[in-house]
Amino acid sequence: MKDISCKLLVIGAGPGGYVCAIRAGQLGVDTVIVEMTKAGGTCLNIGCIPSKALIHAADEFEKALLAAEGKNALGITLEAPKLDLAKTVSWKNGVVGRLNNGVVGLLKKAGVKIVHGRAEFRDGKTVEVETETGTQVIRAETVVIATGSAPMELPALPFGGRVISSTEALSLAKVPERLVVVGGGYIGLELGTAFAKFGSRVTVVEALPHILPQYDAELTRPVAKRLGELGITLLTQAKAKGVTAKGDALVVETADGMEQSLPADKILVTVGRKPVMEGWGMEELDLDRAGKFLRIDSQCRTSMRGVYAIGDVTGEPMLAHRAMAQGEMVAEIVAGNRRSWDKRCIPAVCFTDPEVVTAGLSPDEARALGHELKIGQFPYTANARAMTMQGEAGFVRVVARADNHLVLGIQAVGQHVSELAAAFGLAIEMGARLEDIAGTIHAHPTQGEAFQEAALKALGHALHI
Ligand code: FAD
Ligand code: NAD
């Protein structure tokens, strides 16, 4: 097979890698991308998209179920609904498949050459790929490592049998009667909530005192309350010790030091993700690390000249939109443009029920930096749109500097607040002050009005509370 020489080689076609390759192609850079599974990476195939599809299906099923149980206040009654999870999964696979083809089409349109197979480094500028038709050698002036992350295993709970990762949870053939989730973070709570709505009896085992420990307790309180309403048992300060001899239950050490067995048809382990860096020659390059991740500078350069790294392989926050933004920036740099990472915030959304969204600094983070603050918080109980959608739990909170009212952070918890991430990100990126948000006309009736009201509240003159 004839060797390929190119200007840019991207390893991994997840959101980081494929965006980098598309933008590089658009800029006229001769680009090759190597992917060993399917274009779209974790996010599109076994992460963001399939999980959000199942969460949507679970919401729809729960609504129908409540109507059938006579618990619908809107006057809708239904016969008891049935769930065919295999069909749900097949619909989810259809959504994934369409997006998958879309990514391949976009890469081709940008003139990017796609090579299927596992890349293995020969040296910092040369990789070998085992393809279906033989070994393909690719030489490049610049290499971007975008190999992403994989689920972390607990030594006492290796994956296999009833012990599953998020990947298997997204493609189960039937709803497990009893699901134990180890780890009350993003994945555990998003999927745990969805399976509770599908009908599983769910227990969440979290090692720390709070769920979603990266967020403050006020923000996660409505989520914890809803977990209780859905019948989810939450064990905090509990450690998973392993499975019982019969393998049909998880043994945990609870907060009081006692051992408890939790019978389970599936044990979903979601205790974080690790970078994909081993077994493909990257160790030989001896790139500098930041903890277990690759160390990068403000242009995503690694410690080796001409080798960049983007996305989950570079550490927290492991979010698809961060990987994409890094990928776009690196493509610009490779094309000769002057760019560096100057983002003010990376919004984050947790698709629990209710949803949580954050952008910028929390009150505690802002105080830790020595800022005097003005904080405004507006509850969804006072928002008309939330009432019309039966989603009154939650609030929007705006954190601003007391001296010049510059907005430092915005947080919200509530139904559908994920869609406010765009407004929050834009406000912080553009250096908005409280007066800018308060002075912007927000359409009525929308949940976004709570954003304006939170800014007004911080200024001391909220209108609707
Ligand atoms: P990845 O998406 O992991 O892609 C890396 C790609 O590299 C893979 O396709 C892999 O096959 C390929 N690869 C690896 N090694 C090689 C090699 N040697 N040769 C060739 N190819 C290779 N983030 C959000 O922002 N929002 C969400 O709602 C969200 N939900 C999630 C839900 C779940 C269940 C999971 C698991 C993750 C979720 N994430 C979410 C996180 C998100 O998926 C990641 O942050 C994102 O996919 C990282 O992108 P990436 O390009 O760095 O890596
Ligand atoms: P996470 O870091 O969000 O949560 C892991 C949780 O497991 C933490 O609460 C931690 O305290 C707990 N934990 C760790 N070890 C434990 C143990 N031995 N026993 C019990 N609990 C333990 O990790 P995740 O949920 O696996 O998700 C991985 C990453 O994927 C996230 O960091 C996030 O960046 C990304 N993700 C994002 C989204 C989103 O943006 N909506 C959704 C899913 C995943």
Side-chain angles (χ1 to χ4, degrees), residues 51-52 154 182-188 190 205-208 210-214 238-240 269-273 312 316-319 321 348-351:
S51 61
K52 268 76 253 181
L154 287 174
V182 181
Y186 274 91
I187 302 179
E190 288 188 358
V205 177
E206 166 58 47
L208 294 176
H210 300 288
I211 53 162
L212 293 171
Q214 62 272 57
K239 290 190 201 98
V269 179
T270 54
V271 294
R273 293 177 61 83
D312 283 10
E316 297 282 357
M318 288 192 266
L319 297 173
H321 41 282
V349 174
C350 190
F351 292 83

Side-chain angles (χ1 to χ4, degrees), residues 13 102 146 154 170 194 278 338 346 361 369 378 396 424:
L154 287 174
L170 293 168
E278 278 159 19
R338 281 165 61 91
I346 303 169
L361 302 177
L369 290 174
F378 188 83
V396 178
F424 295 176

Side-chain angles (χ1 to χ4, degrees), residues 20 41 85 90 167 175 201 224 237 278 295 339 354 362 424 448 458:
C20 182
L85 189 65
S90 150
T167 305
V175 175
R201 257 182 295 140
Q237 290 180 284
E278 278 159 19
R295 188 171 66 73
R339 291 281 299 272
S362 69
F424 295 176

Side-chain angles (χ1 to χ4, degrees), residues 123-158:
D123 61 52
K125 298 293 162 60
T126 316
V127 304
E128 278 180 15
V129 185
E130 283 312 319
T131 71
E132 279 184 354
T133 49
T135 305
Q136 174 71 68
V137 176
I138 307 171
R139 287 192 187 78
E141 282 174 38
T142 305
V143 175
V144 175
I145 299 170
T147 49
S149 65
M152 217 146 66
E153 215 169 28
L154 287 174
L157 278 179

Side-chain angles (χ1 to χ4, degrees), residues 213-229:
Q214 62 272 57
Y215 299 138
D216 61 84
E218 201 178 9
L219 207 52
T220 55
R221 200 166 294 127
V223 179
K225 182 164 178 272
R226 181 78 173 116
L227 294 180
E229 287 165 6

Side-chain angles (χ1 to χ4, degrees), residues 79-95:
E79 294 295 310
K82 288 200 184 104
L83 180 79
D84 181 343
L85 189 65
K87 271 195 183 166
T88 312
V89 168
S90 150
W91 163 76
K92 176 267 287 178
N93 290 342
V95 174

